[in-house]
């Protein structure tokens, strides 16, 4: 039996400067009463951080930010990285990554094998220090379709049996970029990955420093094998865990509008980029900023290790290439 109640977000002090409106019982809240085009007071920043820690992903509506305002908003919460360590950034805005409808077409050829977890991922877990958070801004949004889903990996951890939790607490796994199962990499994908190879070993269960919460840190698009298991053992265990984190009761689904913002704790969530847009004729354009993350630490106190590549650092003029 799952034990959802154990991980229901704990009550905390009522926010006094913003409105926080939960969207499901276990993940996601909409925030009102704040204008993100303006510099934010420290008290507002603290309340947004508290809402993020509790609800894992928070949403804002009607915030038509420019790229520079997006960077300014993100910078109130941490240090923006370069847009993407492998796939670049928006010309003239090195901290901004373009989430364009057809971005995968230049990376992968062919049809992926569709599994219940196909497309679910946590951002850039190939890096030894995946981003702490991601802030995605909707600009060009289809009239229907293109919703994004997030899942709460802390609740997913609690939903495993105690016996399985005790086992996965001891495991680590290897993460890297590769096309979805059944698809070939394009030459451009191969070249970009060779230019910035990123392979890391992370614990399967990591601990959020501020809360002590344990999260099932499995990122289906990146996590390829569990260290120390036979290949078939690893595959079957990962399939079980990937399918588990995609259970609908752990998730929230967000309908975008132009000017919508989604801000997620990348340490405690995975998300699913929509696939229905490929069968529609509409454009979809969003922009993402990621905040520099720390190296995750497992239940045993062991940090993640880089097998290939440097950490994904905060943007400086010298590392935007
Ligand atoms: C992302 O993976 O950061 C983008 C999600 C989306 O396209 O909705």
């Amino acid at each position: 039996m799952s034990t959802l109640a154990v991980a229901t977000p704990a009550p905390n002090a009522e926010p006094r400067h913003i409105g926080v409106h939960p969207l499901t019982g276990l993940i996601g809240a909409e925030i009102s009463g704040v204008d993100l085009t303006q510099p934010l007071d420290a008290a507002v920043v603290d309340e947004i951080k508290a809402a993020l820690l509790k609800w894992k992903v928070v949403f804002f509506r009607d915030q038509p930010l420019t790229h520079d305002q997006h960077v300014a908003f993100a910078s109130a919460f941490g240090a923006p990285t370069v847009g993407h360590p492998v796939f670049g950034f928006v010309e003239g805005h090195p901290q901004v990554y373009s989430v364009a409808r057809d971005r995968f077409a230049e990376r992968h050829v062919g049809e992926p094998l569709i599994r219940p977890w196909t497309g679910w991922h946590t951002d850039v877990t190939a890096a030894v220090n995946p981003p702490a958070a991601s802030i995605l801004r909707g600009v060009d949004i289809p009239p229907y379709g293109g919703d994004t889903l997030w899942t709460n990996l802390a609740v997913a951890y609690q939903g495993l049996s105690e016996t399985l939790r005790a086992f996965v607490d001891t495991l680590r796994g290897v993460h890297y970029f590769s096309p979805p199962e059944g698809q070939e990499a394009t030459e451009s994908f191969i070249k970009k990955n060779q230019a910035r190879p990123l392979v890391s070993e992370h614990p399967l269960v990591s601990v959020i420093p501020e809360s002590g919460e344990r999260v099932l840190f499995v990122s289906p698009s990146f996590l390829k094998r569990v260290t120390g298991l036979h290949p078939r053992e690893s595959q079957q265990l990962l399939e079980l865990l990937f399918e588990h984190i995609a259970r609908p009761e752990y998730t929230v689904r967000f309908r975008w509008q132009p000017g919508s913002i989604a801000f997620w704790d990348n340490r405690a969530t995975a998300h699913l980029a929509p696939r229905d847009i490929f069968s529609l004729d509409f454009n979809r354009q969003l922009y993402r900023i990621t905040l520099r993350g720390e190296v995750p630490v497992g239940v045993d106190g062991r940090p993640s290790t880089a097998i290939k590549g440097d950490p994904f650092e905060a943007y400086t003029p010298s590392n935007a290439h």
Side-chain angles (χ1 to χ4, degrees):
M1 277 281 279
S2 300
T3 51
L4 285 182
V6 178
T8 300
N12 58 7
E14 279 302 306
R16 292 193 301 123
H17 303 89
I18 58 172
V20 178
H21 315 281
L23 297 177
T24 77
L26 296 172
I27 178 170
E30 190 164 318
I31 293 190
S32 63
V34 57
D35 177 357
L36 304 185
T37 64
Q38 301 301 314
L40 301 180
D41 290 345
V44 171
V45 170
D46 285 349
E47 288 188 357
I48 295 172
K49 279 186 190 166
L52 186 62
L53 198 61
K54 179 171 173 177
W55 291 105
K56 311 300 190 237
V57 53
V58 295
F59 304 104
F60 302 84
R61 294 288 190 187
D62 304 316
Q63 307 285 344
L65 305 186
T66 62
H67 288 322
D68 289 340
Q69 287 168 333
H70 192 170
V71 173
F73 170 56
S75 303
F77 296 88
T81 60
V82 174
H84 194 287
V86 177
F87 300 115
F89 50 83
V90 173
E91 179 85 43
H93 299 277
Q95 300 98 327
V96 181
Y97 170 58
S98 166
V99 174
R101 177 197 137 110
D102 294 324
R103 65 193 183 284
F104 297 113
E106 62 191 53
R107 299 185 203 166
H108 317 141
V109 191
E111 289 297 321
L113 199 59
I114 298 292
R115 301 276 179 82
W117 54 90
T118 302
W120 281 97
H121 66 284
T122 298
D123 285 331
V124 200
T125 60
V128 69
N129 62 332
S134 300
I135 303 173
L136 186 61
R137 166 169 62 104
V139 173
D140 196 358
I141 302 300
Y144 52 88
D147 301 358
T148 308
L149 279 82
W150 286 261
T151 187
N152 182 335
L153 299 179
V155 176
Y157 175 75
Q158 291 295 335
L160 297 174
S161 66
E162 209 179 321
T163 308
L164 189 50
R165 267 186 266 153
F167 179 49
V168 293
D169 279 353
T170 66
L171 299 176
R172 295 166 72 89
V174 178
H175 298 232
Y176 53 88
F177 283 96
S178 72
E181 205 180 339
Q183 260 182 306
E184 294 287 312
T186 60
E187 257 177 53
S188 147
F189 180 94
I190 293 168
K191 250 196 185 145
K192 286 182 175 163
N193 273 280
Q194 280 170 347
R196 180 79 200 265
L198 285 174
V199 182
S200 298
E201 187 190 64
H202 296 295
L204 259 62
V205 179
S206 59
V207 182
I208 304 293
E210 300 97 296
S211 62
E213 248 182 332
R214 293 182 182 188
V215 301
L216 189 54
F217 196 60
V218 297
S219 174
S221 304
F222 291 97
L223 173 53
K224 307 297 177 191
R225 62 172 188 276
V226 179
T227 309
L229 297 191
H230 295 317
R232 185 70 179 138
E233 292 171 343
S234 168
Q235 185 192 19
Q236 289 197 324
L237 177 65
L238 288 180
E239 288 189 2
L240 183 154
L241 297 176
F242 293 164
E243 199 168 316
H244 175 73
I245 66 161
R247 288 173 68 107
E249 65 268 36
Y250 304 152
T251 70
V252 62
R253 180 179 188 124
F254 186 61
R255 170 85 204 114
W256 290 95
Q257 292 162 353
S260 301
I261 308 270
F263 184 173
W264 62 94
D265 186 335
N266 195 54
R267 307 165 305 174
T269 55
H271 56 281
L272 178 66
R275 302 184 160 257
D276 60 338
I277 48 174
F278 303 120
S279 61
L280 299 174
D281 248 351
F282 308 114
N283 191 23
R284 182 178 184 272
Q285 177 67 59
L286 300 92
Y287 293 97
R288 193 180 80 194
I289 293 180
T290 47
L291 300 180
R292 184 191 179 279
E294 299 298 331
V295 175
V297 173
V299 170
D300 57 3
R302 264 179 81 199
S304 303
T305 49
I307 295 169
K308 272 191 201 164
D310 300 325
F312 186 21
E313 290 298 0
Y315 160 76
T316 64
S318 62
N319 65 13
H321 44 73

